[in-house]
Coordinates of all heavy atoms in Angstrom, one line a residue:
M7 N -9.1 -0.3 2.6 CA -8.1 0.5 3.2 C -8.6 1.0 4.6 O -9.7 1.4 4.7 CB -7.9 1.7 2.3 CG -7.0 2.8 2.9 SD -5.3 2.3 3.2 CE -4.7 2.1 1.5
A8 N -7.7 0.9 5.5 CA -8.0 1.4 6.9 C -6.8 2.1 7.4 O -5.7 1.9 7.0 CB -8.3 0.2 7.8
Y9 N -7.0 3.1 8.3 CA -6.0 3.9 8.8 C -6.0 3.9 10.3 O -7.0 3.8 10.9 CB -6.2 5.4 8.3 CG -6.1 5.6 6.8 CD1 -7.3 5.7 6.1 CD2 -4.9 5.6 6.1 CE1 -7.3 5.8 4.7 CE2 -4.9 5.7 4.8 CZ -6.1 5.8 4.1 OH -6.1 6.0 2.7
L10 N -4.8 4.1 10.8 CA -4.6 4.2 12.3 C -4.1 5.7 12.5 O -3.0 6.0 12.2 CB -3.5 3.3 12.8 CG -3.1 3.4 14.2 CD1 -4.3 3.1 15.1 CD2 -2.0 2.4 14.6
D11 N -5.1 6.5 12.9 CA -4.8 7.9 13.2 C -4.1 8.7 12.0 O -3.3 9.6 12.2 CB -3.9 8.1 14.4 CG -4.6 7.7 15.7 OD1 -5.8 7.8 15.8 OD2 -3.9 7.4 16.7
S12 N -4.4 8.3 10.8 CA -3.8 8.8 9.6 C -2.3 8.6 9.5 O -1.6 9.1 8.7 CB -4.1 10.3 9.4 OG -5.5 10.5 9.1
D13 N -1.8 7.9 10.5 CA -0.3 7.7 10.5 C 0.1 6.4 9.8 O 1.2 6.4 9.2 CB 0.1 7.5 12.0 CG 0.0 8.8 12.8 OD1 0.1 9.9 12.2 OD2 -0.2 8.7 14.0
V14 N -0.7 5.4 9.8 CA -0.4 4.1 9.2 C -1.6 3.7 8.4 O -2.8 3.8 8.8 CB -0.1 3.0 10.3 CG1 0.2 1.7 9.6 CG2 1.1 3.5 11.1
G15 N -1.3 3.1 7.2 CA -2.4 2.6 6.3 C -2.3 1.1 6.2 O -1.2 0.6 6.1
F16 N -3.4 0.4 6.2 CA -3.5 -1.0 6.0 C -4.3 -1.2 4.7 O -5.4 -0.8 4.6 CB -4.2 -1.7 7.2 CG -3.5 -1.5 8.5 CD1 -3.9 -0.4 9.3 CD2 -2.6 -2.3 8.9 CE1 -3.3 -0.2 10.5 CE2 -2.0 -2.2 10.2 CZ -2.3 -1.1 10.9
V17 N -3.6 -1.9 3.8 CA -4.3 -2.2 2.5 C -4.5 -3.7 2.4 O -3.6 -4.5 2.8 CB -3.3 -1.9 1.3 CG1 -4.0 -2.2 0.0 CG2 -2.9 -0.4 1.4
E18 N -5.7 -4.1 2.0 CA -6.0 -5.5 1.7 C -6.8 -5.6 0.5 O -7.8 -4.9 0.4 CB -6.7 -6.2 2.9 CG -6.8 -7.7 2.7 CD -7.3 -8.4 3.9 OE1 -7.4 -7.8 5.0 OE2 -7.7 -9.6 3.7
A19 N -6.4 -6.3 -0.5 CA -7.1 -6.4 -1.8 C -7.1 -7.8 -2.3 O -6.2 -8.6 -2.0 CB -6.4 -5.5 -2.8
A20 N -8.0 -8.1 -3.2 CA -8.1 -9.4 -3.8 C -7.5 -9.3 -5.2 O -7.4 -8.3 -5.8 CB -9.6 -9.7 -4.0
T21 N -7.0 -10.5 -5.6 CA -6.5 -10.6 -7.0 C -7.6 -11.2 -7.9 O -8.6 -11.8 -7.3 CB -5.3 -11.5 -7.1 OG1 -5.7 -12.9 -6.7 CG2 -4.2 -11.0 -6.2
F22 N -7.5 -11.1 -9.2 CA -8.5 -11.7 -10.0 C -8.5 -13.2 -10.0 O -9.5 -13.8 -10.2 CB -8.3 -11.2 -11.5 CG -8.9 -9.9 -11.8 CD1 -8.1 -8.7 -11.8 CD2 -10.2 -9.8 -12.0 CE1 -8.7 -7.5 -12.1 CE2 -10.8 -8.5 -12.3 CZ -10.0 -7.4 -12.3
A23 N -7.4 -13.8 -9.6 CA -7.3 -15.2 -9.5 C -7.9 -15.8 -8.2 O -7.9 -17.0 -7.9 CB -5.8 -15.7 -9.6
G24 N -8.4 -14.9 -7.3 CA -9.0 -15.3 -6.1 C -8.1 -15.2 -4.9 O -8.5 -15.6 -3.8
G25 N -6.8 -14.8 -5.1 CA -5.9 -14.6 -4.0 C -6.1 -13.3 -3.3 O -7.0 -12.5 -3.6
R26 N -5.3 -13.0 -2.3 CA -5.3 -11.8 -1.6 C -3.9 -11.3 -1.4 O -3.0 -12.0 -1.3 CB -6.0 -12.0 -0.2 CG -7.4 -12.5 -0.3 CD -8.2 -12.5 1.0 NE -8.6 -11.1 1.4 CZ -9.5 -10.4 0.7 NH1 -10.1 -10.8 -0.3 NH2 -9.8 -9.2 1.2
W27 N -3.8 -10.0 -1.3 CA -2.5 -9.4 -0.9 C -2.8 -8.2 0.1 O -3.9 -7.7 0.1 CB -1.8 -8.9 -2.1 CG -2.4 -7.8 -3.0 CD1 -3.3 -7.9 -3.9 CD2 -2.1 -6.4 -2.9 NE1 -3.7 -6.7 -4.4 CE2 -3.0 -5.7 -3.8 CE3 -1.3 -5.6 -2.1 CZ2 -3.0 -4.4 -4.0 CZ3 -1.3 -4.2 -2.3 CH2 -2.1 -3.6 -3.2
K28 N -1.8 -8.0 0.9 CA -2.0 -6.9 1.9 C -0.7 -6.1 1.9 O 0.4 -6.6 1.6 CB -2.3 -7.5 3.2 CG -1.3 -8.4 3.8 CD -1.8 -9.0 5.1 CE -0.7 -10.0 5.7 NZ -1.1 -10.5 7.0
A29 N -0.8 -4.9 2.4 CA 0.4 -4.0 2.5 C 0.2 -3.1 3.6 O -0.9 -2.9 4.1 CB 0.5 -3.2 1.2
L30 N 1.3 -2.5 4.1 CA 1.3 -1.6 5.2 C 1.9 -0.3 4.6 O 3.0 -0.3 4.0 CB 2.2 -2.2 6.3 CG 2.3 -1.4 7.6 CD1 1.0 -1.3 8.3 CD2 3.3 -2.1 8.5
L31 N 1.3 0.8 4.9 CA 1.8 2.1 4.4 C 2.3 2.9 5.6 O 1.7 2.9 6.7 CB 0.7 2.9 3.7 CG 0.0 2.2 2.6 CD1 -1.1 3.1 2.0 CD2 1.0 1.8 1.5
N32 N 3.5 3.5 5.4 CA 4.2 4.2 6.5 C 4.8 3.2 7.5 O 4.6 3.3 8.7 CB 3.3 5.2 7.2 CG 3.6 6.6 6.8 OD1 4.6 6.9 6.1 ND2 2.9 7.6 7.4
R33 N 5.7 2.4 7.0 CA 6.3 1.3 7.8 C 7.1 1.8 9.0 O 7.0 1.2 10.1 CB 7.2 0.4 6.9 CG 6.4 -0.3 5.8 CD 7.4 -1.1 4.9 NE 7.8 -2.3 5.5 CZ 7.1 -3.4 5.5 NH1 6.0 -3.5 4.9 NH2 7.6 -4.5 6.0
D34 N 7.8 2.9 8.8 CA 8.6 3.4 9.9 C 7.7 3.9 11.1 O 8.0 3.6 12.2 CB 9.5 4.6 9.5 CG 10.6 4.2 8.6 OD1 11.0 3.0 8.5 OD2 11.2 5.1 7.8
T35 N 6.6 4.5 10.7 CA 5.7 5.0 11.7 C 5.0 3.8 12.4 O 4.7 3.7 13.6 CB 4.6 5.9 11.1 OG1 5.3 7.0 10.5 CG2 3.6 6.4 12.1
A36 N 4.7 2.7 11.6 CA 4.1 1.5 12.1 C 5.0 0.9 13.2 O 4.5 0.4 14.2 CB 3.8 0.5 11.0
E37 N 6.3 0.9 13.0 CA 7.2 0.4 14.0 C 7.1 1.1 15.3 O 7.2 0.5 16.3 CB 8.6 0.4 13.4 CG 8.8 -0.7 12.4 CD 10.2 -0.7 11.8 OE1 10.9 0.4 11.8 OE2 10.6 -1.8 11.3
H38 N 6.8 2.4 15.2 CA 6.7 3.2 16.5 C 5.4 2.8 17.2 O 5.3 2.9 18.4 CB 6.6 4.7 16.2 CG 7.9 5.3 15.7 ND1 9.0 5.5 16.6 CD2 8.3 5.6 14.5 CE1 10.0 6.0 15.9 NE2 9.6 6.1 14.6
Y39 N 4.4 2.3 16.5 CA 3.2 1.8 17.1 C 3.3 0.3 17.5 O 2.4 -0.3 17.9 CB 2.0 1.9 16.1 CG 1.4 3.3 16.0 CD1 1.7 4.1 15.0 CD2 0.4 3.7 17.0 CE1 1.1 5.4 14.9 CE2 -0.2 4.9 16.9 CZ 0.2 5.8 15.8 OH -0.4 7.0 15.8
E40 N 4.5 -0.2 17.2 CA 4.8 -1.6 17.5 C 4.0 -2.6 16.7 O 3.6 -3.7 17.1 CB 4.7 -1.9 19.0 CG 5.7 -1.1 19.8 CD 5.7 -1.4 21.3 OE1 5.0 -2.4 21.8 OE2 6.4 -0.7 22.1
I41 N 3.7 -2.2 15.5 CA 3.0 -3.1 14.5 C 4.0 -4.0 13.9 O 5.1 -3.5 13.5 CB 2.3 -2.2 13.4 CG1 1.1 -1.4 14.1 CG2 1.7 -3.1 12.3 CD1 0.6 -0.3 13.2
P42 N 3.8 -5.3 13.9 CA 4.8 -6.2 13.3 C 4.8 -6.1 11.8 O 4.1 -6.7 11.1 CB 4.3 -7.6 13.8 CG 2.8 -7.4 14.0 CD 2.6 -6.0 14.4
V43 N 5.8 -5.3 11.3 CA 5.9 -5.0 9.9 C 6.2 -6.2 9.1 O 6.0 -6.3 7.9 CB 6.8 -3.8 9.6 CG1 6.3 -2.5 10.2 CG2 8.2 -4.1 10.1
D44 N 6.8 -7.2 9.8 CA 7.2 -8.5 9.0 C 6.0 -9.2 8.6 O 6.1 -10.1 7.7 CB 8.1 -9.3 9.9 CG 7.5 -9.8 11.2 OD1 6.7 -9.0 11.8 OD2 7.8 -10.9 11.7
R45 N 4.8 -8.9 9.1 CA 3.6 -9.6 8.6 C 3.1 -8.9 7.3 O 2.0 -9.4 6.8 CB 2.5 -9.4 9.7 CG 2.8 -10.3 10.9 CD 1.7 -10.3 11.9 NE 2.0 -11.0 13.1 CZ 1.3 -11.0 14.2 NH1 0.2 -10.3 14.2 NH2 1.7 -11.7 15.2
F46 N 3.8 -7.9 6.8 CA 3.4 -7.2 5.6 C 4.6 -7.2 4.7 O 5.2 -6.1 4.5 CB 2.9 -5.8 5.9 CG 1.7 -5.8 6.8 CD1 1.9 -5.8 8.2 CD2 0.5 -5.8 6.3 CE1 0.8 -5.7 9.1 CE2 -0.6 -5.7 7.2 CZ -0.5 -5.7 8.5
P47 N 5.0 -8.4 4.1 CA 6.2 -8.4 3.3 C 6.0 -7.5 2.0 O 5.0 -7.7 1.3 CB 6.4 -9.8 3.0 CG 5.2 -10.6 3.4 CD 4.4 -9.7 4.3
V48 N 7.0 -6.7 1.7 CA 7.0 -5.8 0.6 C 6.9 -6.5 -0.7 O 6.1 -6.2 -1.6 CB 8.2 -4.8 0.6 CG1 8.2 -4.0 -0.7 CG2 8.1 -3.9 1.8
E49 N 7.7 -7.6 -0.9 CA 7.8 -8.3 -2.2 C 6.4 -9.0 -2.5 O 6.0 -9.0 -3.6 CB 8.9 -9.3 -2.2 CG 10.3 -8.6 -2.2 CD 10.5 -7.5 -3.3 OE1 10.1 -7.8 -4.5 OE2 10.9 -6.4 -3.0
A50 N 5.8 -9.5 -1.5 CA 4.5 -10.2 -1.7 C 3.5 -9.2 -2.0 O 2.6 -9.4 -2.9 CB 4.1 -11.0 -0.4
A51 N 3.5 -8.0 -1.4 CA 2.5 -7.0 -1.7 C 2.8 -6.4 -3.1 O 1.8 -6.2 -3.9 CB 2.6 -5.8 -0.7
L52 N 4.0 -6.3 -3.5 CA 4.3 -5.8 -4.8 C 3.8 -6.8 -5.9 O 3.2 -6.4 -6.8 CB 5.8 -5.6 -4.9 CG 6.3 -5.1 -6.3 CD1 5.7 -3.8 -6.7 CD2 7.8 -5.1 -6.3
A53 N 4.1 -8.0 -5.7 CA 3.6 -9.0 -6.6 C 2.1 -9.0 -6.7 O 1.6 -9.1 -7.8 CB 4.1 -10.4 -6.2
G54 N 1.4 -9.0 -5.6 CA 0.0 -8.9 -5.6 C -0.6 -7.7 -6.3 O -1.5 -7.8 -7.1
A55 N 0.0 -6.6 -6.0 CA -0.4 -5.3 -6.7 C -0.2 -5.3 -8.2 O -1.1 -4.9 -8.9 CB 0.3 -4.1 -6.0
L56 N 0.9 -5.8 -8.6 CA 1.2 -5.9 -10.0 C 0.3 -6.9 -10.7 O -0.2 -6.7 -11.8 CB 2.7 -6.3 -10.3 CG 3.7 -5.2 -9.9 CD1 5.1 -5.8 -10.0 CD2 3.5 -4.0 -10.7
D57 N 0.0 -8.0 -10.1 CA -0.9 -9.0 -10.6 C -2.3 -8.4 -10.8 O -3.0 -8.6 -11.8 CB -1.0 -10.3 -9.7 CG -2.0 -11.3 -10.2 OD1 -1.8 -11.9 -11.3 OD2 -3.0 -11.5 -9.5
R58 N -2.8 -7.7 -9.8 CA -4.1 -7.1 -9.8 C -4.2 -6.1 -10.9 O -5.2 -6.0 -11.6 CB -4.4 -6.5 -8.4 CG -5.7 -5.7 -8.4 CD -6.9 -6.7 -8.4 NE -8.1 -6.0 -8.1 CZ -9.0 -5.7 -9.0 NH1 -8.8 -6.0 -10.3 NH2 -10.2 -5.2 -8.7
A59 N -3.2 -5.2 -11.0 CA -3.2 -4.2 -12.0 C -3.2 -4.8 -13.4 O -3.9 -4.4 -14.3 CB -1.9 -3.3 -11.8
A60 N -2.3 -5.8 -13.7 CA -2.2 -6.4 -15.0 C -3.5 -7.1 -15.4 O -4.0 -6.9 -16.5 CB -1.1 -7.4 -15.0
A61 N -4.1 -7.8 -14.4 CA -5.4 -8.5 -14.7 C -6.5 -7.5 -15.0 O -7.5 -7.8 -15.7 CB -5.8 -9.3 -13.5
G62 N -6.4 -6.3 -14.5 CA -7.4 -5.2 -14.7 C -7.1 -4.4 -15.9 O -7.8 -3.4 -16.2
G63 N -6.0 -4.7 -16.7 CA -5.7 -4.0 -17.9 C -5.0 -2.7 -17.6 O -4.9 -1.8 -18.4
L64 N -4.4 -2.5 -16.4 CA -3.8 -1.3 -16.0 C -2.3 -1.4 -16.3 O -1.7 -2.4 -16.2 CB -4.0 -1.0 -14.5 CG -5.5 -0.8 -14.1 CD1 -5.6 -0.7 -12.6 CD2 -6.1 0.4 -14.8
T65 N -1.7 -0.2 -16.5 CA -0.2 -0.2 -16.7 C 0.4 0.4 -15.3 O 0.3 1.6 -15.1 CB 0.2 0.7 -17.8 OG1 -0.4 0.3 -19.0 CG2 1.7 0.8 -18.0
A66 N 0.9 -0.5 -14.5 CA 1.4 -0.2 -13.2 C 2.9 0.2 -13.3 O 3.6 -0.2 -14.3 CB 1.2 -1.3 -12.3
D67 N 3.3 0.9 -12.3 CA 4.7 1.3 -12.2 C 5.3 0.6 -11.0 O 5.2 1.0 -9.9 CB 4.8 2.8 -12.0 CG 6.2 3.4 -11.7 OD1 7.2 2.6 -11.8 OD2 6.3 4.6 -11.3
P68 N 6.1 -0.5 -11.3 CA 6.6 -1.3 -10.2 C 7.5 -0.5 -9.3 O 7.4 -0.7 -8.0 CB 7.4 -2.4 -10.9 CG 6.9 -2.5 -12.3 CD 6.4 -1.1 -12.6
D69 N 8.4 0.3 -9.8 CA 9.2 1.1 -8.9 C 8.4 2.1 -8.1 O 8.7 2.3 -6.9 CB 10.3 1.9 -9.8 CG 11.3 1.0 -10.4 OD1 11.5 -0.1 -9.9 OD2 11.8 1.3 -11.5
G70 N 7.4 2.7 -8.7 CA 6.5 3.6 -7.9 C 5.8 2.8 -6.8 O 5.7 3.4 -5.7
I71 N 5.3 1.6 -7.1 CA 4.6 0.9 -6.0 C 5.6 0.5 -4.9 O 5.3 0.7 -3.8 CB 4.0 -0.4 -6.6 CG1 2.9 -0.1 -7.6 CG2 3.5 -1.3 -5.5 CD1 2.4 -1.2 -8.4
R72 N 6.8 0.1 -5.3 CA 7.8 -0.3 -4.3 C 8.1 0.9 -3.4 O 8.3 0.9 -2.2 CB 9.1 -0.8 -4.9 CG 10.1 -1.3 -3.9 CD 11.4 -1.7 -4.5 NE 11.2 -2.7 -5.6 CZ 11.1 -4.0 -5.4 NH1 11.0 -4.5 -4.2 NH2 10.9 -4.8 -6.5
A73 N 8.2 2.1 -4.1 CA 8.6 3.3 -3.3 C 7.5 3.7 -2.3 O 7.8 4.1 -1.2 CB 8.7 4.5 -4.3
V74 N 6.2 3.4 -2.7 CA 5.1 3.7 -1.8 C 5.2 2.7 -0.6 O 5.0 3.1 0.6 CB 3.8 3.6 -2.5 CG1 2.6 3.6 -1.5 CG2 3.6 4.7 -3.5
L75 N 5.4 1.4 -0.9 CA 5.4 0.4 0.1 C 6.5 0.5 1.1 O 6.4 0.0 2.2 CB 5.4 -1.0 -0.6 CG 4.2 -1.3 -1.4 CD1 4.3 -2.7 -2.1 CD2 2.9 -1.2 -0.7
T76 N 7.6 1.2 0.7 CA 8.7 1.3 1.6 C 8.9 2.7 2.0 O 9.8 3.0 2.9 CB 10.0 0.8 0.9 OG1 10.2 1.6 -0.3 CG2 10.0 -0.6 0.5
G77 N 8.1 3.7 1.5 CA 8.3 5.1 1.8 C 7.6 5.5 3.0 O 6.9 4.8 3.7
S78 N 7.6 6.8 3.2 CA 6.9 7.4 4.4 C 6.4 8.8 3.9 O 6.8 9.4 2.9 CB 7.8 7.6 5.6 OG 8.9 8.4 5.3
A79 N 5.4 9.3 4.7 CA 4.7 10.5 4.4 C 4.1 11.0 5.7 O 3.9 10.2 6.6 CB 3.7 10.4 3.4
P80 N 3.9 12.3 5.9 CA 3.3 12.8 7.1 C 1.9 12.1 7.4 O 1.6 11.9 8.5 CB 3.1 14.3 6.9 CG 4.1 14.6 5.8 CD 4.2 13.4 5.0
C81 N 1.1 11.8 6.3 CA -0.2 11.2 6.5 C -0.2 9.9 5.6 O 0.2 10.0 4.4 CB -1.3 12.1 6.1 SG -1.4 13.5 7.2
A82 N -0.7 8.8 6.0 CA -0.8 7.6 5.2 C -1.7 7.8 4.0 O -1.5 7.2 3.0 CB -1.3 6.5 6.1
E83 N -2.6 8.7 4.1 CA -3.5 9.0 3.0 C -2.7 9.5 1.7 O -3.1 9.2 0.6 CB -4.6 10.0 3.3 CG -5.6 9.5 4.3 CD -5.3 9.7 5.7 OE1 -4.1 10.1 6.1 OE2 -6.2 9.5 6.6
E84 N -1.6 10.2 2.0 CA -0.8 10.6 0.9 C -0.2 9.4 0.1 O -0.1 9.4 -1.1 CB 0.3 11.5 1.4 CG -0.1 12.9 1.9 CD 1.0 13.7 2.5 OE1 2.1 13.6 1.9 OE2 0.8 14.3 3.5
L85 N 0.2 8.4 0.9 CA 0.8 7.2 0.3 C -0.3 6.5 -0.4 O 0.0 5.8 -1.5 CB 1.4 6.4 1.4 CG 2.7 7.0 2.0 CD1 3.1 6.1 3.2 CD2 3.8 7.1 1.0
T86 N -1.5 6.5 0.0 CA -2.6 5.8 -0.7 C -2.8 6.5 -2.0 O -2.9 5.7 -3.0 CB -3.9 5.9 0.1 OG1 -3.7 5.4 1.4 CG2 -5.1 5.3 -0.6
D87 N -2.8 7.8 -2.1 CA -2.9 8.5 -3.4 C -1.8 8.1 -4.3 O -2.0 7.8 -5.5 CB -2.9 10.0 -3.2 CG -4.2 10.5 -2.5 OD1 -5.2 9.7 -2.5 OD2 -4.2 11.6 -2.0
R88 N -0.6 8.0 -3.8 CA 0.6 7.6 -4.6 C 0.4 6.1 -5.1 O 0.8 5.8 -6.2 CB 1.9 7.8 -3.9 CG 2.2 9.2 -3.6 CD 3.5 9.3 -2.9 NE 3.6 10.5 -2.1 CZ 4.4 10.7 -1.1 NH1 5.3 9.8 -0.8 NH2 4.4 11.8 -0.4
L89 N -0.1 5.3 -4.2 CA -0.2 3.9 -4.6 C -1.3 3.7 -5.7 O -1.0 3.0 -6.7 CB -0.7 3.0 -3.4 CG -0.9 1.6 -3.6 CD1 0.3 0.9 -4.1 CD2 -1.4 0.9 -2.3
V90 N -2.4 4.4 -5.6 CA -3.4 4.3 -6.6 C -2.8 4.8 -8.0 O -3.0 4.2 -9.0 CB -4.6 5.2 -6.2 CG1 -5.6 5.4 -7.4 CG2 -5.3 4.5 -5.0
G91 N -2.1 5.9 -8.0 CA -1.4 6.3 -9.2 C -0.4 5.4 -9.7 O -0.4 5.1 -11.0
A92 N 0.4 4.8 -8.9 CA 1.4 3.8 -9.3 C 0.8 2.5 -9.8 O 1.3 1.8 -10.7 CB 2.4 3.5 -8.2
L93 N -0.5 2.2 -9.4 CA -1.2 1.1 -9.9 C -1.7 1.3 -11.3 O -2.2 0.4 -12.0 CB -2.3 0.7 -9.0 CG -1.9 0.0 -7.7 CD1 -3.1 -0.1 -6.7 CD2 -1.4 -1.4 -8.0
G94 N -1.7 2.6 -11.7 CA -2.2 2.9 -13.1 C -3.6 3.4 -13.1 O -4.3 3.5 -14.1
I95 N -4.2 3.7 -11.9 CA -5.6 4.2 -11.8 C -5.5 5.7 -11.9 O -4.9 6.4 -11.1 CB -6.2 3.7 -10.5 CG1 -6.2 2.2 -10.4 CG2 -7.6 4.2 -10.4 CD1 -6.6 1.6 -9.1
A96 N -6.3 6.2 -12.8 CA -6.3 7.7 -13.0 C -7.1 8.3 -11.9 O -8.1 7.7 -11.4 CB -7.0 8.0 -14.3
P97 N -6.7 9.5 -11.4 CA -7.5 10.2 -10.4 C -8.9 10.5 -10.9 O -9.1 10.7 -12.1 CB -6.7 11.4 -10.1 CG -5.8 11.6 -11.3 CD -5.6 10.3 -11.9
A98 N -9.8 10.6 -9.9 CA -11.2 11.0 -10.3 C -11.2 12.4 -10.8 O -10.4 13.3 -10.3 CB -12.1 10.9 -9.0
A99 N -12.1 12.7 -11.7 CA -12.2 14.0 -12.3 C -12.8 15.0 -11.2 O -13.7 14.6 -10.4 CB -13.2 14.0 -13.5
Q100 N -12.2 16.2 -11.1 CA -12.7 17.2 -10.2 C -13.9 17.8 -10.8 O -13.9 18.3 -11.9 CB -11.6 18.2 -9.9 CG -10.4 17.6 -9.3 CD -10.6 17.0 -7.9 OE1 -11.3 17.7 -7.1 NE2 -10.1 15.9 -7.5
G101 N -15.0 17.9 -10.0 CA -16.2 18.5 -10.6 C -16.7 19.5 -9.8 O -17.3 20.3 -9.6

């Protein structure tokens, strides 16, 4: 995960089958930065995310993932937290 001024998030992850998927968080804001959002197709990212979650034994929420990939937030980090949750990954325990 990488961020551009906390405004845009770039996700790149591997699948268990050896493939890769990438996603862009805060697409509307990315367009203001003139980032070519068409290089980050939502359906391909959704498929990759679901594949990764399933292979890892996680119960993902496809609608939640799609909402994150197409949604917006004041900070891209907020979308990252939502994506992790939608992938079925429990938040870290607060200690």
Side-chain angles (χ1 to χ4, degrees):
M7 173 64 70
Y9 299 99
L10 175 63
D11 291 335
S12 289
D13 293 331
V14 178
F16 300 91
V17 178
E18 187 169 350
T21 66
F22 276 101
R26 300 194 70 71
W27 63 277
K28 61 183 180 177
L30 184 65
L31 304 180
N32 253 357
R33 295 175 79 83
D34 291 342
T35 303
E37 288 179 334
H38 291 285
Y39 280 99
E40 298 182 8
I41 295 169
V43 298
D44 59 327
R45 292 187 184 170
F46 301 87
V48 171
E49 293 306 313
L52 177 60
L56 292 173
D57 177 67
R58 176 72 170 104
L64 301 171
T65 303
D67 173 7
D69 293 332
I71 295 170
R72 183 186 309 280
V74 170
L75 297 178
T76 59
S78 62
C81 296
E83 290 89 350
E84 293 176 39
L85 293 171
T86 302
D87 291 342
R88 291 183 209 162
L89 178 61
V90 169
L93 286 168
I95 301 169
Q100 298 294 319

